[in-house]
């Protein structure tokens, strides 16, 4: 969202009205809602909102990726659970 406006300083209601994907008329709040509901990849955002799928070829992709980076919950990768029968588990 490199349009010369400091979006961090905008009131959330005003920021939510900004159009991110012009081809499909997708607003900031629509993408934000999809991210809050669990969409955390570009493909999931595209399926939920149709953002990045317009005839322009996805010129809003960097903006959507920035939103994902800022808003998505960062989850650490979980280590696979080891069963007692696994070869690397020490038998007592």
């Amino acid at each position: 969202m490199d349009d010369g406006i400091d979006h961090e300083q905008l009131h959330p209601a005003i920021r939510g009205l900004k159009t991110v994907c012009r081809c499909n008329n997708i607003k900031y709040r629509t993408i934000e809602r999809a991210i809050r509901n669990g969409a955390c990849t570009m493909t999931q955002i595209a399926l939920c909102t149709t953002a990045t799928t317009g005839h322009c070829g996805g010129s809003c992709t960097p903006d959507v990726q920035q939103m994902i980076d800022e808003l998505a919950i960062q989850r650490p990768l979980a280590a696979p659970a080891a069963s007692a029968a696994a070869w690397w588990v020490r038998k007592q």
Side-chain angles (χ1 to χ4, degrees):
M1 291 177 269
D2 189 20
D3 51 9
I5 300 172
D6 186 10
H7 294 278
E8 295 298 320
Q9 299 300 321
L10 290 177
H11 188 277
I14 301 297
R15 186 174 51 235
L17 296 174
K18 182 190 181 316
T19 301
V20 176
C21 178
R22 288 185 176 91
C23 296
N24 294 328
N25 195 26
I26 306 298
K27 305 289 186 203
Y28 182 97
R29 65 178 171 218
T30 304
I31 298 170
E32 180 182 30
R33 187 178 310 122
I35 293 170
R36 300 277 185 223
N37 288 334
C40 57
T41 65
M42 197 64 67
T43 303
Q44 291 171 338
I45 296 293
L47 288 172
C48 292
T49 66
T50 69
T52 73
T53 62
H55 61 81
C56 70
S59 65
C60 61
T61 301
D63 295 337
V64 174
Q65 185 61 54
Q66 180 182 358
M67 289 179 68
I68 291 171
D69 294 342
E70 292 173 1
L71 301 172
I73 297 171
Q74 303 300 320
R75 297 180 184 96
L77 294 177
S83 69
W87 64 268
W88 64 85
V89 176
R90 181 179 292 177
K91 309 261 193 257
Q92 299 211 7

